[in-house]
Amino acid sequence: MRVLVTGASGQLGGYLVRRLLLKADEVTAWSRTTCSLATGVPLLPVDLTDTATLAAAYRRARPHIVLHAAALARVSDCYHDPERARCVNAEGTAALARLAAENGARLVHVSTDLVFDGDTGAYTENDPAVPLSVYGRTKLAAESAVLAYPYHVVARVSLLFGPSVVGRTSFFDEQVAALRAGRPVTLFVDEWRTAISLAAAANGLADLAFSDYSGLIHLGGPERLSRWEMGLRLATHLGADPNLVVPGCRNQARAPEPRPRDTSLDSSRWRHLFPKLPWTGYDDSLSQLLPS
Ligand SMILES: NC(=O)c1ccc[n+]([C@@H]2O[C@H](COP(=O)([O-])OP(=O)(O)OC[C@H]3O[C@@H](n4cnc5c(N)ncnc54)[C@H](OP(=O)(O)O)[C@@H]3O)[C@@H](O)[C@H]2O)c1
């Protein structure tokens, strides 16, 4: 099987490439800009907004499966450049989904829990999506474009955590560095997610891609935790002073867009379909990611 990974220079993409090298016969890795990848797979520069380049690169890759992780993935970047967010997240995804469908390939699109408004939490695939941000709206538009094709998949992933494998510092890496250096970090006590490690999400997405499941599915972690609880557990795991994790509230943040309160995902459908895939809690994931 030939697999194409988009967004391979990103936090999730790096883990996806590593995982897919174990499952696929051939892995093609795309980013927007060229750079090398720790796994040794060359990264090919393909800008999703350049339709002609995209089509030509797709023909060269001839994938059976597309794992689409590329996006303008920072909420603030999307807010500041909504047109670019629309072009990359919505139109780029629609173009790729069309190419895959026309060429008989199956596409797994990585979406987000931020398509929900966060009023209730524990969202299932049947709950209505009402995004509060430009990011969420462009990702929801992408979902509609992908779900127009019968064999494609939209996997909504919860907040991701874990060390970067692509040489770019992640938010998680910054928190670890701050706590190890004795610097305080302020984290919200009133914002909840079902965070899942980058490795677990990549494993889940890869298995999904090689299955015959199509349609919408949620991939979250087993625990609903506030950002503050996650920080506290991280500090404990690192042996850092727990007082460094300062409780903050969403209404203190000067965010230009409203922040969803609770976008925890109900992942029952995924767990029912893949019961043998490990589903590790936050503390055990930390022990695996940062062994002492
Ligand atoms: N991080 C999370 O907590 C989280 C949670 C839920 C869902 N997601 C979703 O998971 C996916 C991966 O997120 P991430 O955190 O790994 O993102 P990331 O680290 O910001 O990586 C984004 C990737 O997309 C590529 N990209 C950006 N614009 C592009 C364009 N115009 N054409 C082609 N490629 C482009 C980037 O390439 P360059 O590096 O070359 O610019 C990079 O490889 C995204 O779809 C995101 O919406 C993330």
Side-chain angles (χ1 to χ4, degrees), residues 15-276:
Y15 278 85
L16 279 173
V17 170
R18 281 184 166 196
R19 181 67 187 163
L20 288 162
L21 283 171
L22 304 172
K23 288 179 80 78
D25 300 312
E26 197 179 311
V27 177
T28 301
W30 287 358
S31 70
R32 186 179 57 87
T33 51
T34 318
C35 59
S36 62
L37 200 63
T39 49
V41 175
L43 274 179
L44 307 175
V46 179
D47 191 325
L48 290 175
T49 64
D50 179 343
T51 320
T53 305
L54 175 65
Y58 189 94
R59 278 195 297 276
R60 280 194 295 278
R62 295 184 302 125
H64 299 104
I65 294 173
V66 181
L67 254 157
H68 176 41
L72 197 62
R74 288 175 70 149
V75 173
S76 57
D77 289 347
C78 293
Y79 173 78
H80 289 296
D81 196 344
E83 181 55 19
R84 186 163 156 237
R86 189 182 61 77
C87 288
V88 178
N89 294 354
E91 291 186 1
T93 300
L96 192 61
R98 189 170 54 249
L99 276 170
E102 284 170 0
N103 291 281
R106 172 177 160 72
L107 179 133
V108 178
H109 168 60
V110 184
S111 192
T112 170
D113 55 350
L114 294 181
V115 296
F116 291 112
D117 60 14
D119 284 353
T120 57
Y123 290 103
T124 73
E125 292 82 356
N126 297 324
D127 288 317
V130 184
L132 300 183
S133 60
V134 171
Y135 170 66
R137 284 191 285 278
T138 57
K139 294 292 284 186
L140 185 61
E143 289 188 359
S144 305
V146 171
L147 292 173
Y149 301 99
Y151 301 112
H152 290 352
V153 184
V154 169
R156 289 188 186 134
V157 173
S158 201
L159 180 70
L160 297 167
F161 66 93
S164 172
V165 292
V166 290
R168 294 179 189 172
T169 310
S170 67
F171 182 58
F172 180 83
D173 294 322
E174 287 167 13
Q175 275 186 28
V176 170
L179 292 170
R180 281 190 168 141
R183 290 195 306 273
V185 292
T186 301
L187 295 166
F188 298 132
V189 292
D190 57 353
E191 190 175 299
W192 290 271
R193 313 285 283 268
T194 38
I196 181 168
S197 77
L198 284 157
N203 291 351
L205 289 164
D207 280 14
L208 199 54
F210 277 77
S211 75
D212 57 7
Y213 182 81
S214 59
L216 190 56
I217 194 158
H218 287 178
L219 269 70
E223 292 169 277
R224 171 187 174 274
L225 296 170
S226 74
R227 286 186 176 265
W228 178 72
E229 286 170 303
M230 285 187 258
L232 210 53
R233 289 184 184 203
L234 178 59
T236 306
H237 177 77
L238 295 171
D241 179 358
N243 292 314
L244 291 171
V245 185
V246 180
C249 291
R250 284 178 309 129
N251 63 11
Q252 292 165 345
R254 287 200 206 95
E257 293 177 301
R259 294 182 69 100
R261 191 181 68 90
D262 180 351
T263 52
S264 53
L265 296 180
D266 179 330
S267 302
S268 310
R269 182 179 292 180
W270 174 47
R271 297 313 304 168
H272 180 72
L273 287 167
F274 299 92
K276 291 191 181 145

